[in-house]
Amino acid sequence: MRFQVLGPLAVRAAEPGRSTLTPRAAKLRVVLATLLVRRGEIVSVAGLIDELWGDRPPRTAKTTLQVYVSQLRKRLFGGAPGTGTLETRMPGYLLQVDPEQLDLSAFESLHARGREAMEDRDWDRAADRQRRALALWRGPLLSDTPHGALLGTAATRLAELRTSALEQRIRAELHQGRHHDLVGELQGLTAEFPLREEFHAHLMVALYRTGRQAEALRAFAALRRTLVEELAIEPGRALQELHRRILAADETLLGPPEAPVVLTEAPQTAPGTAPVRLPDRVADELPPPEPLFTGRTAALDALGAELAASAGGCVLVTGGPGTGKTALALAAAHAAGFPDGRVLVECGAEGAPRDEARLLAEVLRRCGATGTLPEHGAELAALLRTLTAGRRLLLVLDGADRAELILPVCAAAPGSVVLATCRRSPAGVEGRTLRLGELDPAEARELLLAARRAQQGPEASGGAPDPAVLDRIVRRCGALPGALRAAAGLLPLHPHWDADRLAERLRAEDTRLGLLRRGSARFARSLESAYGTAADPAGFRLLGLLPPGPFTVPAAAALFGSGPGAAEDRLGALLAEGLLTTVPAAAPGGARFRLPEALRLLALERLHAEDEAPVLRAATGRLCDHLSTRLAAAYHGGSPERAAHPDLVRLLERAHDLGLWAPVVRLAEALTPSFEEQADWGPWREGHTRALDAARRAGDRRAEARLRRSLGDLAWQRREHTAARAHYAAALALARGVPDAEETGRCLAGLAELSLDAGGFTEAARLLDLALAASGDGGRGRYEARRVGALLALDRGRPEAAERHFAECLRLAAALGEPRLEAYARRCLAGVRDAPGSPGGLELRPGVWRLRPAH
């Protein structure tokens, strides 16, 4: 069986009479296409639902998706040899097919091997492989299949990869001397890609080599006019240098299409090889600065001052993925004064040099060296030392994450400055280090607005978005420059979106990372690269379970299932790799860490894709128990944490989905004081409804009674008296059945308070007598009965009786160790003593007030 996605979707079988098995239904094609494009990876149910229905999924979306998967299994993956497998894997589905069955796999393999041949300067092999890779394309990716977020991202990435293969094939064919054959094709490509300078450069070289110098100059003029009129920028330095050489009728351009230079030394070369030629003048070969570079004022000033003052050696710019290291380095490099030359070598890109010899060779080529360079590092270092002698160059090494990619260049160019960007400071590299993290809020908003204007055009500046909306986008992107650019990159893909709509689409955790990948393939690659080189990927994945925001070593130790010392060591390693950041400690010795938001989402995604269910269950249970203990300790210590409830409720829901009934109940109950204090009604209802279901499944009747009563308290706060009465009554029956005297008293007090609200003083008094009898001499049930008794006394105009009730509340709260209840009782007692009959506010429960008339 063969699957084809490079064009219209096609599934073909070799058996006679079954030449095509392609699904006709559009939804089935979407599911199959998404699984094929993400072959070998788990695609979440949420991601497939978003791909099928966007932001308007039907109520039966999950069931319908299961039907589609079942149909695909029966039709295509029935278990016969060569059909592949479609498995259910938490949290979605995994499709495994042989790479030879899929045209996409063949294309990516041929393209990668062609790139390797380019690095080896094997032009024939490079051209052949890229030609074969391009022949697999029958049209745009999945041109007959609707695209959602996942397929849209894949289409963008693969279109760029196809263009890269095309450019490399042409480059290799120019090396083969096929310029006559390429002129017509290049004229079409420059029309199709009017802003890609590589194709224009190839066209200029091909025209010049065919004796059409004037047309080559005209091609440059046309490109320059387009760039100036549309973007208000000039062509890059490399293209300007090519233009200058064509104007000067440089005969060396008749050779290979790399920039030839004047011979300054001619070392001995092997027979049949071209002599090495070093330039008289090193070209300024920096790429254009990042057009959306914004903010980082202090960092840019510090880096500029360091470059200006350095007489040699290394300057490092470090930071995690998406922090804008390259953009800052380029901005500083363009502003720096290095009249002898400035060049940039990409060490972290696909196909980039990854060892000393290849890196030194690439630096020499960027500086203008031509001919057949030696293969050994020592000879290459000698050439670079000769080239840089008496010169002060700026050599930018982008993505140089290892010492062996920095130290040889520093040693071979002692009078020049090496500016290296990397996620962490490589061991053994000495030099000034500038570390980047998140943008401050003002800079993040500025970058987002600049990116929005660039993506939507000048009209976007008319109606400035609400700053609160911008802040939501910034927060959901973790204030990372790369993520903010990715978010803005979604706007031209969805012209009907405004800032509010963008913020709303980024709200859901399970689809946010996919959207950001779609907005910027470059940002997606930086995230994957960071994960792919992590020394402790298992530890990184587990940290994805943490709610957003700072966390401590004990929280990580709970996740890892280890002691604090071992956890701190693992966090230190991730911190050194740029996968974590630190935040100021709340107290001495309380080191806190933060997982940048995009990396947290990546860690959670990879955790579900790579770790078995027992690992996920155990880590989630340990984290829930740790947070429950911490919240309870903070509350009883007199400082209930202002928890981020939606984030903790999401953790609670994940624990519920994993069947962790007891941890779900403990976490929900630990959150109750914070829910009450902050009156956070939505998360309170969501969390306790899940916890109530967990208590039922676990057969924990005591917990079920407590949670039903808590939902009654919530309904009472919302003035939903019918619902509150139903919850209290159900909780009362459960508490009496266990039996649980304290909960019985609390439920009766709640019912009494409802009667009091309705003016039923006699019924309220009767219920309070029952509550006091049930709860005994102490406990929370007696406290609540006394509290409602005080409110009843005040409504009856008996301040002395209310004072006695509140005094008893104060004693009970102190005995319970409940500082919040104790503070409430003190306030009420003082209010009754100071102005027992005056009109004003009456605090019914801690933080819940109502107006009352004078008696």
Side-chain angles (χ1 to χ4, degrees):
M1 188 177 293
R2 294 289 182 268
F3 300 93
Q4 294 175 295
V5 297
L6 302 179
L9 177 65
V11 184
R12 306 185 187 280
E15 297 91 335
R18 298 185 68 203
S19 59
T20 178
L21 297 171
T22 310
R24 293 184 179 180
K27 298 293 189 189
L28 270 181
R29 291 205 308 274
V30 169
V31 176
L32 176 59
T34 305
L35 293 169
L36 284 169
V37 168
R38 298 285 292 276
R39 68 217 176 276
E41 299 179 28
I42 296 175
V43 184
S44 70
V45 168
L48 286 167
I49 288 174
D50 186 63
E51 195 72 20
L52 286 164
W53 294 287
D55 54 358
R56 294 178 178 271
R59 182 176 54 82
T60 59
K62 287 188 178 180
T63 303
T64 305
L65 175 60
Q66 290 170 354
V67 172
Y68 292 155
V69 171
S70 176
Q71 290 178 6
L72 288 175
R73 281 198 179 111
K74 291 176 183 176
R75 183 181 179 89
L76 303 176
F77 307 105
T83 59
T85 60
L86 176 51
E87 306 170 24
T88 301
R89 292 273 192 93
M90 184 181 292
Y93 301 97
L94 171 69
L95 176 61
Q96 299 277 21
V97 295
D98 191 309
E100 295 182 1
Q101 295 177 258
L102 180 62
D103 58 354
L104 173 55
S105 300
F107 167 76
E108 290 177 327
S109 173
L110 283 167
H111 177 46
R113 288 158 55 205
R115 191 170 56 244
E116 291 172 0
M118 289 286 288
E119 292 176 9
D120 295 337
R121 306 174 71 79
D122 186 341
W123 314 122
D124 293 342
R125 197 155 44 98
D128 175 66
R129 287 175 176 174
Q130 300 296 4
R131 200 177 296 119
R132 287 160 54 200
L134 291 165
L136 295 169
W137 285 78
R138 298 167 294 116
L141 180 80
L142 297 162
S143 55
D144 64 342
T145 303
H147 288 194
L150 292 173
L151 290 182
T153 301
T156 302
R157 181 182 74 83
L158 287 165
E160 179 64 28
L161 210 58
R162 179 182 180 274
T163 305
S164 172
L166 186 58
E167 190 276 330
Q168 290 185 29
R169 191 216 86 207
I170 289 171
R171 184 185 294 273
E173 290 181 349
L174 280 172
H175 276 284
Q176 292 175 313
R178 300 186 57 191
H179 38 272
H180 286 282
D181 301 332
L182 291 170
V183 169
E185 182 181 6
L186 283 166
Q187 287 172 332
L189 288 172
T190 53
E192 183 182 354
F193 301 100
L195 302 180
R196 289 194 76 113
E197 295 191 11
E198 311 102 298
F199 290 133
H200 289 273
H202 294 331
L203 175 60
M204 291 166 63
V205 170
L207 287 168
Y208 182 73
R209 288 183 178 182
T210 54
R212 299 155 71 176
Q213 180 183 14
E215 291 180 60
L217 295 172
R218 196 176 296 124
F220 175 83
L223 170 63
R224 182 181 181 277
R225 185 165 53 252
T226 299
L227 293 175
V228 170
E229 290 177 358
E230 294 191 15
L231 301 176
I233 62 173
E234 292 285 341
R237 292 180 182 274
L239 208 63
Q240 292 183 39
E241 176 65 13
L242 177 60
H243 176 251
R244 183 194 64 75
R245 293 168 64 191
I246 292 174
L247 277 173
D250 188 340
E251 292 185 1
T252 57
L253 274 179
L254 299 175
E258 295 161 318
V261 289
V262 179
L263 177 66
T264 57
E265 64 176 60
Q268 295 297 315
T269 57
T273 61
V276 178
R277 303 161 67 92
L278 298 180
D280 283 336
R281 182 177 63 83
V282 175
D284 229 6
E285 285 293 332
L286 289 178
E290 167 61 55
L292 295 180
F293 179 75
T294 305
R296 299 287 194 204
T297 305
L300 184 59
D301 290 344
L303 184 54
E306 188 64 32
L307 293 179
S310 295
C314 184
V315 179
L316 295 170
V317 177
T318 67
T323 50
K325 302 179 292 295
T326 302
L328 176 68
L330 270 177
H334 275 282
F338 283 81
D340 291 332
R342 301 170 296 186
V343 299
L344 179 140
V345 175
E346 294 184 2
C347 304
E350 272 192 89
R354 304 301 294 167
D355 58 44
E356 175 184 344
R358 289 194 175 192
L359 178 64
L360 289 170
E362 185 63 19
V363 172
L364 283 163
R365 289 193 188 99
R366 292 287 180 180
C367 288
T370 58
T372 305
L373 295 173
E375 296 181 358
H376 300 294
E379 298 173 35
L380 291 163
L383 282 174
L384 184 57
R385 193 172 294 110
T386 299
L387 175 63
T388 59
R391 293 186 171 112
R392 184 173 179 267
L393 306 177
L394 177 62
L395 307 174
V396 183
L397 305 181
D398 188 33
D401 57 358
R402 292 178 289 123
E404 50 267 37
L405 293 178
I406 299 175
L407 295 177
V409 179
C410 292
S416 296
V417 178
V418 174
L419 173 58
T421 69
C422 41
R423 286 195 296 273
R424 58 188 178 278
S425 300
V429 177
E430 296 182 0
R432 168 71 186 277
T433 299
L434 185 66
R435 182 162 186 83
L436 299 183
E438 300 170 355
L439 291 169
D440 69 44
E443 289 181 332
R445 286 192 296 271
E446 184 184 353
L447 172 58
L448 191 59
L449 286 171
R452 173 177 171 269
R453 286 192 295 269
Q455 297 287 359
Q456 293 188 322
E459 65 275 8
S461 60
D466 182 349
V469 174
L470 292 179
D471 285 341
R472 284 201 294 275
I473 298 173
V474 168
R475 187 166 58 252
R476 287 163 188 170
C477 292
L480 286 179
L484 292 169
R485 293 190 189 99
L490 293 166
L491 296 174
L493 302 177
H494 303 276
H496 58 291
W497 285 11
D498 56 11
D500 290 275
R501 183 65 177 146
L502 176 60
E504 177 59 25
R505 286 307 306 268
L506 291 173
R507 183 171 64 88
E509 269 196 1
D510 53 353
T511 57
R512 189 186 310 159
L513 188 58
L515 284 170
L516 293 177
R517 283 192 177 109
R518 188 180 179 195
S520 171
R522 177 181 171 186
F523 179 60
R525 286 194 300 271
S526 71
L527 292 179
E528 297 298 339
S529 173
Y531 174 69
T533 58
D536 182 13
F540 172 73
R541 293 196 300 270
L542 285 173
L543 294 178
L545 289 171
L546 289 164
F551 65 91
T552 60
V553 171
L559 273 174
F560 298 153
S562 69
E568 191 166 10
D569 290 342
R570 296 180 78 174
L571 293 176
L574 292 170
L575 180 66
E577 292 181 319
L579 297 175
L580 285 181
T581 60
T582 56
V583 295
R592 297 196 301 169
F593 299 83
R594 184 195 295 274
L595 193 61
E597 183 62 6
L599 285 171
R600 185 184 69 83
L601 296 175
L602 176 66
L604 188 60
E605 177 187 85
R606 302 316 305 166
L607 179 71
H608 285 292
E610 298 181 32
D611 288 275
E612 299 294 333
V615 174
L616 189 58
R617 279 176 53 85
T620 303
R622 291 193 300 266
L623 179 61
C624 288
D625 288 343
H626 165 77
L627 292 173
S628 302
T629 302
R630 192 188 76 187
L631 288 165
Y635 174 69
H636 289 291
S639 58
E641 294 196 11
R642 299 194 64 81
H645 295 147
D647 299 324
L648 290 175
V649 169
R650 271 195 292 273
L651 173 62
L652 188 149
E653 289 171 348
R654 289 195 195 105
H656 181 278
D657 291 343
L658 292 167
L660 298 167
W661 312 131
V664 166
V665 170
R666 284 195 290 271
L667 181 56
E669 294 195 305
L671 281 165
T672 302
S674 183
F675 283 145
E676 291 174 344
E677 183 188 37
Q678 299 178 41
D680 207 345
W681 293 342
W684 186 351
R685 172 172 288 174
E686 292 169 21
H688 278 56
T689 301
R690 286 292 185 114
L692 179 61
D693 180 68
R696 286 177 182 143
R697 290 171 183 263
D700 189 343
R701 306 280 284 178
R702 289 180 182 274
E704 195 177 344
R706 293 193 300 269
L707 290 160
R708 284 299 294 261
R709 189 261 314 145
S710 178
L711 287 169
D713 291 341
L714 169 61
W716 176 86
Q717 280 201 23
R718 299 187 65 162
R719 315 309 293 162
E720 297 169 350
H721 288 173
T722 301
R725 190 175 300 278
H727 281 304
Y728 285 143
L732 178 61
L734 287 164
R736 282 173 166 167
V738 174
D740 186 328
E742 181 167 310
E743 278 304 312
T744 298
R746 292 189 71 169
C747 294
L748 287 165
L751 289 168
E753 193 161 13
L754 287 172
S755 296
L756 180 60
D757 288 343
F761 294 169
T762 303
E763 177 64 8
R766 185 186 72 80
L767 290 168
L768 287 175
D769 287 342
L770 291 174
L772 289 168
S775 56
D777 295 333
R780 182 68 184 269
R782 191 168 189 83
Y783 174 95
E784 294 298 336
R786 287 290 197 175
R787 176 185 63 79
V788 180
L791 300 177
L792 175 62
L794 287 173
D795 278 353
R796 285 177 161 178
R798 301 172 181 173
E800 298 84 0
E803 184 176 349
R804 288 195 299 274
H805 281 301
F806 282 134
E808 182 63 7
C809 283
L810 182 60
R811 184 191 70 79
L812 290 168
L816 287 168
E818 295 273 9
R820 184 163 173 260
L821 301 184
E822 193 174 350
Y824 164 78
R826 281 202 179 90
R827 290 194 300 273
C828 292
L829 195 56
V832 171
R833 288 170 177 168
D834 294 344
S838 64
L842 177 62
E843 192 174 6
L844 304 179
R845 297 186 186 187
V848 181
W849 296 75
R850 79 172 181 201
L851 294 176
R852 64 182 175 90
H855 290 286

